């Protein structure tokens, strides 16, 4: 048997390469309706219709082989066989967006000019049809000199035909084999653009009246006045929903955790193991897990934005505001992704060509409110902000949450402004990004996406959050307190906490907060699980339930302290994985260390300011 041969998916951004990759290999690569989603090379295995296995490689989208950004460079290197430890792919699957042919044909010519076995997947023909285009794949095949297979990646249409075409070019049975397309070689970019125009015209059989919905939608959503208002209103609704819709589910989960904890208390004999379960597992990790509904709702909105095509519009709307702080709309998508998590956000900066733009974006990405902060914010808000409505039906808790997100954004803007004038000095680069077409999010994709995010959250709870919480619990459990003495004060952790407290007293933090901040370096949610565990260890009675954290915060923290704690988490870079990714993406320790220092500095200053302002206001 031959060694497994390799095929690579190449094409412009947002052509549907990853969607094809997922369908062909069964993988679950991220796909979303904006350019620049894939930033790394990913390999998977597909089986051709004749049963032969193929290693399929998904690549970042590119506009040309003159790589401008780090993600395009990956594509260039893989295709040219310069990627470390990899030979050139045997077959290139060139993915084109049928509804954007002219644009995609420019890079297509560059790919075909490599003269390698190539098959074109004429993807998104469903969208072309929606736009009123009827295409002629044969004419396109004739013009390009390679086989052209119409596909609809998201509906698995044309995949077998694509596989057969791959087999054919591979084994040299394709009619095009041996035929060169000399007219495609040695063209300059303007010549390629012109040729693309002609080819696109030749491939379009008929063009009925183009759907007008899209352009009229854009007239409203991209309007300089209405656009930002709609975006802002949309985000406002998101954060109201995170609180309002999640409540019944969160309450049910909380009750569930409480019931299980109570059952354990009743059935497991008193001792070390029972304490581990009730204080560490249920009161600690359980306190984080109950925020699953909030996380799922937040992600539902983010996914809908990504799938519908509104994400790229939001970037466009924000471009002007970003420019005023020295960034471009290009940074917006990495920053918006950071609302989920700064790690993919920082990775997404690979699509930014300008190195200083990119570095600035990496440095401010942790200021976007990632989903790990949600449990921290939610627990404190639930404890100290009354669950009432203001101004005729606006939930106060949701409003405070929204304000915290805005604080993060403003913090990031301010940081960008300062950085762009100091350490990452330079002019803002221009912003060009094509608008993807609007698409109705597919329910099934939505469900899969949500399940993946929920699973990531639960896995975190079961691994890093669990480990950090249990480590703290052990330090809180030993040495045992004498009768009448507080267990927390007597423990190793308590002694460390009391030492730390001196540092954070000026900004209004108590010992319990000081204690929770150390394990929370592993992940922000650990602040919540740690507080849960600290209060459970401290509690006299045995039946500790998950909502004890909220009650204890409400009972023992002053409002200024709670507000200072929230302010701290707007800035604090408490996530080792983010630091590690920043190190990888900037190739060294310099910038991650800088990031740690400036963010901790800002956290301390702003928590302090918040505390003293609140005290002064008499809150
Ligand atoms: N209607 C329709 N949508 C598609 C088709 N193929 C992909 N999509 C959608 O188009 C968007 C882009 O798909 P991706 O697979 O992420 O595109 P990509 O080429 O990998 O993009 P980059 O990673 O940014 O280079 C997603 O929202 C997909 O759901 C198709 O054939 N028809
Ligand atoms: Mg992709």
């Amino acid at each position: 048997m031959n060694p497994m041969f390799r095929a690579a998916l190449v094409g412009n951004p947002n052509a549907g390469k990853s969607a094809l990759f997922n369908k062909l290999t069964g993988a679950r690569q991220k796909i979303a309706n904006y350019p620049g989603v894939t930033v790394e090379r990913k390999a998977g295995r597909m089986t051709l219709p004749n049963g032969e296995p193929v290693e399929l490689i998904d690549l970042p989208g590119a506009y040309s082989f003159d790589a401008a950004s780090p993600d395009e460079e990956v594509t260039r290197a893989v295709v040219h066989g310069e990627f470390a430890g990899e030979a050139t792919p045997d077959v290139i699957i060139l993915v084109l967006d049928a509804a954007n042919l002219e644009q995609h044909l420019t890079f297509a010519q560059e790919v075909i000019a490599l003269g390698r076995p190539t098959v074109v997947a004429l993807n998104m023909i469903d969208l072309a049809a929606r736009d009123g285009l009827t295409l002629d794949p044969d004419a396109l095949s004739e013009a390009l000199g390679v086989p052209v297979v119409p596909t609809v990646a998201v509906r698995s249409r044309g995949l077998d035909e694509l596989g057969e075409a791959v087999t054919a070019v591979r084994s040299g049975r394709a009619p095009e084999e041996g035929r060169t397309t000399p007219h495609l070689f040695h063209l300059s970019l303007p010549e390629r653009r012109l040729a693309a125009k002609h080819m696109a015209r030749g491939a379009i059989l008929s063009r009925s009246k183009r759907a007008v919905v899209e352009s009229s939608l854009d007239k409203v959503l991209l309007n300089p006045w209405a656009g930002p208002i709609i975006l802002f209103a949309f985000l406002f609704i998101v954060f109201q929903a995170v609180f309002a819709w999640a409540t019944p589910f969160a309450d049910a989960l909380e009750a569930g955790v409480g019931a299980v904890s109570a059952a354990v208390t009743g059935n497991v004999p008193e001792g070390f193991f029972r304490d581990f379960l009730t204080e560490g597992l249920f009161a600690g990790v359980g306190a984080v897990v109950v925020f699953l509904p909030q996380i799922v709702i937040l992600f539902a909105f983010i996914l809908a934005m990504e799938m519908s095509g509104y994400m790229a519009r939001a970037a466009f709307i924000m471009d002007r505001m970003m420019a005023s702080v020295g960034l471009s709309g290009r940074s917006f998508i990495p920053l918006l992704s950071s609302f989920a998590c700064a790690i993919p956000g920082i990775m997404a900066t690979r699509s930014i060509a300008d190195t200083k733009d990119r570095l600035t974006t990496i440095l401010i990405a942790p200021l976007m409110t990632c989903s790990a902060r949600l449990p921290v914010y939610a627990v404190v808000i639930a404890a100290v902000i009354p669950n009432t409505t203001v101004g005729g039906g606006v939930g106060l808790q949701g409003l405070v949450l929204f304000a915290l997100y805005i604080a993060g954004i403003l913090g990031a803007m301010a940081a960008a402004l300062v950085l762009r004038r100091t350490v990452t000095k330079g002019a803002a680069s221009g912003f060009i990004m094509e608008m993807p077409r609007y698409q109705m999010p597919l329910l099934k994709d939505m469900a899969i996406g949500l399940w993946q995010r929920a699973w990531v959250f639960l896995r975190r709870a079961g691994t890093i959050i669990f480990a950090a919480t249990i480590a703290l619990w052990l330090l809180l459990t030993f040495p045992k307190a004498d009768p009448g003495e507080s267990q927390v004060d007597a423990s190793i952790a308590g002694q460390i906490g009391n030492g730390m407290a001196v540092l954070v007293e000026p900004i209004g933090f108590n010992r319990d907060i000081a204690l929770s901040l150390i394990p929370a370096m592993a992940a922000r949610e650990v602040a919540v699980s740690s507080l849960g565990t600290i209060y459970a260890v401290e509690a006299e009675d045995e039946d500790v339930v998950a909502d004890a954290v909220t009650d204890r915060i409400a009972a023992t923290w002053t409002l200024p302290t709670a507000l200072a704690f929230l302010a701290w988490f707007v800035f604090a870079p408490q996530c080792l994985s983010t630091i590690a990714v920043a190190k990888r993406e900037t190739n060294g320790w310099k910038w991650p260390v800088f990031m740690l220092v400036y963010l901790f500095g800002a956290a301390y200053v702003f928590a302090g300011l918040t505390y003293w302002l609140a005290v002064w206001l008499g809150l």
Side-chain angles (χ1 to χ4, degrees):
M1 190 161 155
N2 299 332
M4 189 150 68
F5 85 90
R6 301 165 63 243
L9 291 157
V10 181
N12 282 47
N14 213 41
K17 298 176 294 299
S18 302
L20 265 178
F21 179 80
N22 285 352
K23 293 291 185 201
L24 290 169
T25 63
R28 292 270 173 87
Q29 280 302 304
K30 175 165 174 144
I31 62 170
N33 196 11
Y34 58 82
V37 179
T38 308
V39 292
E40 302 181 285
R41 161 204 175 283
K42 280 277 174 301
R45 177 191 274 237
M46 73 180 270
T47 311
L48 290 176
N50 68 4
E52 192 181 353
V54 181
E55 183 182 40
L56 188 65
I57 302 160
D58 185 22
L59 291 170
Y63 295 99
S64 91
F65 284 133
D66 302 326
S69 53
D71 61 342
E72 281 186 319
E73 169 55 25
V74 170
T75 300
R76 194 201 61 77
V78 170
V79 171
H80 288 83
E82 291 164 17
F83 197 79
E86 243 183 57
T88 43
D90 302 293
V91 173
I92 291 177
I93 302 177
L94 178 58
V95 187
L96 304 182
D97 174 353
N100 252 329
L101 255 190
E102 189 181 324
Q103 224 180 42
H104 285 220
L105 279 171
T106 309
F107 179 47
Q109 296 171 65
E110 207 178 327
V111 175
I112 291 170
L114 295 171
R116 302 245 291 283
T118 303
V119 175
V120 166
L122 187 58
N123 195 35
M124 305 211 186
I125 41 164
D126 58 329
L127 289 185
R130 191 184 80 181
D131 288 354
L133 297 177
T134 313
L135 294 165
D136 182 353
D138 294 334
L140 190 61
S141 171
E142 183 73 21
L144 292 171
V146 299
V148 173
V149 182
T151 58
V152 181
V154 284
R155 302 202 189 276
S156 303
R157 272 173 24 207
L159 301 191
D160 285 346
E161 293 81 348
L162 187 64
E164 274 154 21
V166 168
T167 316
V169 293
R170 159 99 203 293
S171 56
R173 280 190 288 105
E176 285 74 18
E177 160 68 14
R179 189 171 83 190
T180 50
T181 44
H183 59 288
L184 291 183
F185 291 82
H186 313 302
L187 292 184
S188 64
L189 185 61
E191 287 167 334
R192 282 209 173 106
R193 289 219 176 103
L194 193 66
K197 194 174 204 150
H198 287 305
M199 276 190 252
R201 274 206 199 129
I204 293 170
L205 283 176
S206 72
R207 184 193 294 269
S208 67
K209 215 170 74 190
R210 208 191 129 86
V212 288
V213 193
E214 196 140 305
S215 56
S216 46
L217 245 184
D218 270 350
K219 264 194 198 113
V220 180
L221 294 182
L222 297 182
N223 178 289
W225 294 106
I229 295 174
I230 295 172
L231 176 62
F232 198 75
F234 174 76
L235 294 176
F236 181 80
I237 291 170
V238 172
F239 296 113
Q240 285 287 311
V242 164
F243 258 98
W245 300 356
T247 307
F249 301 101
D251 286 350
L253 255 180
E254 215 164 86
V257 172
V260 176
S261 175
V264 167
T265 318
N267 290 308
V268 176
E270 197 170 320
F272 182 78
F273 185 58
R274 186 167 88 180
D275 288 350
F276 161 80
L277 289 177
T278 54
E279 297 170 353
L281 191 65
F282 295 118
V285 180
V288 173
V289 171
V290 296
F291 289 101
L292 181 65
Q294 273 94 339
I295 302 271
V296 168
I297 290 172
L298 179 69
F299 276 118
F301 281 106
I302 293 182
L303 281 175
M305 262 180 107
E306 289 185 346
M307 288 178 175
S308 61
Y310 187 52
M311 187 79 131
R313 267 89 186 170
F316 181 82
I317 294 166
M318 294 301 289
D319 187 44
R320 211 166 5 147
M321 198 176 137
M322 309 282 286
S324 65
V325 296
L327 286 173
S328 76
R330 264 267 169 248
S331 303
F332 182 75
I333 285 181
L335 292 178
L336 205 64
S337 314
S338 304
F339 276 127
C341 174
I343 295 163
I346 288 174
M347 305 245 310
T349 62
R350 291 185 190 177
S351 63
I352 302 175
D354 184 279
T355 45
K356 294 226 169 115
D357 266 4
R358 179 164 182 241
L359 183 58
T360 317
T361 312
I362 291 175
L363 289 173
I364 64 172
L367 282 167
M368 297 291 126
T369 306
C370 65
S371 58
R373 282 171 174 106
L374 198 52
V376 181
Y377 287 170
V379 96
V380 177
I381 289 175
V384 299
I385 307 292
N387 186 10
T388 54
T389 57
V390 290
V394 177
L396 184 61
Q397 295 185 331
L399 195 64
V400 173
L401 185 65
F402 185 57
L404 286 166
Y405 275 76
I406 297 291
I409 296 170
L410 294 179
M413 298 294 119
L417 199 66
V418 174
L419 291 170
R420 282 306 246 164
R421 274 165 184 65
T422 52
V423 286
T424 59
K425 203 180 274 177
S429 59
F431 176 52
I432 352 152
M433 182 159 105
E434 75 267 40
M435 290 294 139
R437 275 173 318 259
Y438 288 107
Q439 293 229 50
M440 205 57 185
L442 292 177
L443 221 57
K444 191 176 150 218
D445 287 350
M446 226 15 213
I448 293 175
L450 278 182
W451 165 245
Q452 284 176 331
R453 305 304 174 95
W455 178 236
V456 167
F457 174 72
L458 291 176
R459 217 177 38 207
R460 268 168 78 81
T463 52
I464 186 160
I465 296 172
F466 175 79
T469 310
I470 297 310
L472 175 68
W473 175 76
L474 284 170
L475 292 176
L476 279 166
T477 309
F478 301 105
K480 284 281 172 219
D482 298 327
E485 194 190 2
S486 141
Q487 174 58 40
V488 175
D489 279 334
S491 69
I492 303 172
Q495 284 161 27
I496 300 173
N498 282 323
M500 279 284 296
V502 181
L503 273 178
V504 290
E505 251 159 30
I507 58 170
F509 287 5
N510 54 37
R511 181 209 57 196
D512 301 333
I513 296 179
L515 241 182
S516 73
L517 290 182
I518 307 170
M521 270 315 290
R524 292 179 176 88
E525 301 99 318
V526 175
V528 173
S529 59
S530 298
L531 286 170
T533 294
I534 295 166
Y535 290 139
V537 169
E538 214 165 40
E540 298 287 301
D541 61 290
E542 281 285 299
D543 81 282
V544 198
V545 289
D547 67 4
V549 198
T550 320
D551 296 343
R552 290 299 296 261
I553 291 175
T556 58
W557 296 18
T558 65
L559 188 56
T561 293
L563 295 177
F565 184 74
L566 292 174
W568 170 272
F569 271 97
V570 169
F571 295 95
Q574 297 199 285
C575 172
L576 291 178
S577 325
T578 302
I579 305 297
V581 165
K583 174 185 172 273
R584 195 182 69 196
E585 297 296 314
T586 59
N587 298 317
W589 278 112
K590 178 178 164 197
W591 293 111
V593 167
F594 175 81
M595 186 155 116
L596 271 174
V597 171
Y598 106 87
L599 286 175
F600 269 129
Y604 197 86
V605 168
F606 281 94
L609 283 177
T610 307
Y611 179 73
W612 289 107
L613 186 68
V615 169
W616 182 68
L617 288 173
L619 292 177

